[in-house]
Amino acid sequence: MSSVGLAAAIEELRQELYQAQAQGSDQQFAFGVEEAQLELLLELRDSGKGDGKLSFGVATVGVGGERSTLRTHKLTLRLSVRDRAAGGTSPDISDDETEPWAEE
């Protein structure tokens, strides 16, 4: 299992943010990163098992082993939204039309 260190994970995040920034440069809505939370979980397990069996002069030996590594990364980004068409203010998402159920 290949491993990714903390420095490599953060550099990958930087590159992803640069790419998102470049792709959104000409879009009306811009997103700013207010906060980033990175949670890293690491679990290592080692276990081994061995057994043997002798039957009528024929030896049967069984040996088992297990080693596993579990790595989990969780990233949470809190984003702010700005409307470039409205001078960089927060967008107002609303419907100015009357509600269809209110019309009779």
Side-chain angles (χ1 to χ4, degrees), residues 3-104:
S3 64
V4 176
L6 179 60
I10 290 175
E11 181 58 28
E12 182 68 25
L13 173 60
R14 279 191 190 104
Q15 295 304 316
E16 288 288 331
L17 288 171
Y18 292 149
Q19 183 178 359
Q21 183 180 29
Q23 289 178 353
S25 64
D26 62 347
Q27 300 295 316
Q28 178 178 348
F29 293 115
F31 296 90
V33 177
E34 290 184 359
E35 180 181 41
Q37 295 178 2
L38 181 60
E39 178 180 327
L40 302 171
L41 301 173
L42 174 65
E43 179 181 331
L44 298 173
R45 285 182 270 176
D46 281 320
S47 65
K49 173 177 123 175
D51 57 21
K53 181 178 179 182
L54 181 63
S55 175
F56 298 107
V58 177
T60 303
V61 177
V63 177
E66 175 183 305
R67 178 183 169 100
S68 64
T69 301
L70 172 67
R71 294 173 190 251
T72 304
H73 303 265
K74 177 182 176 183
L75 175 66
T76 303
L77 294 177
R78 187 183 315 190
L79 303 175
S80 61
V81 183
R82 292 172 304 184
D83 187 347
R84 290 181 176 142
T89 61
S90 295
D92 287 329
I93 308 297
S94 63
D95 186 1
D96 292 335
E97 296 179 18
T98 60
E99 296 82 16
W101 61 87
E103 294 177 10
E104 289 197 32

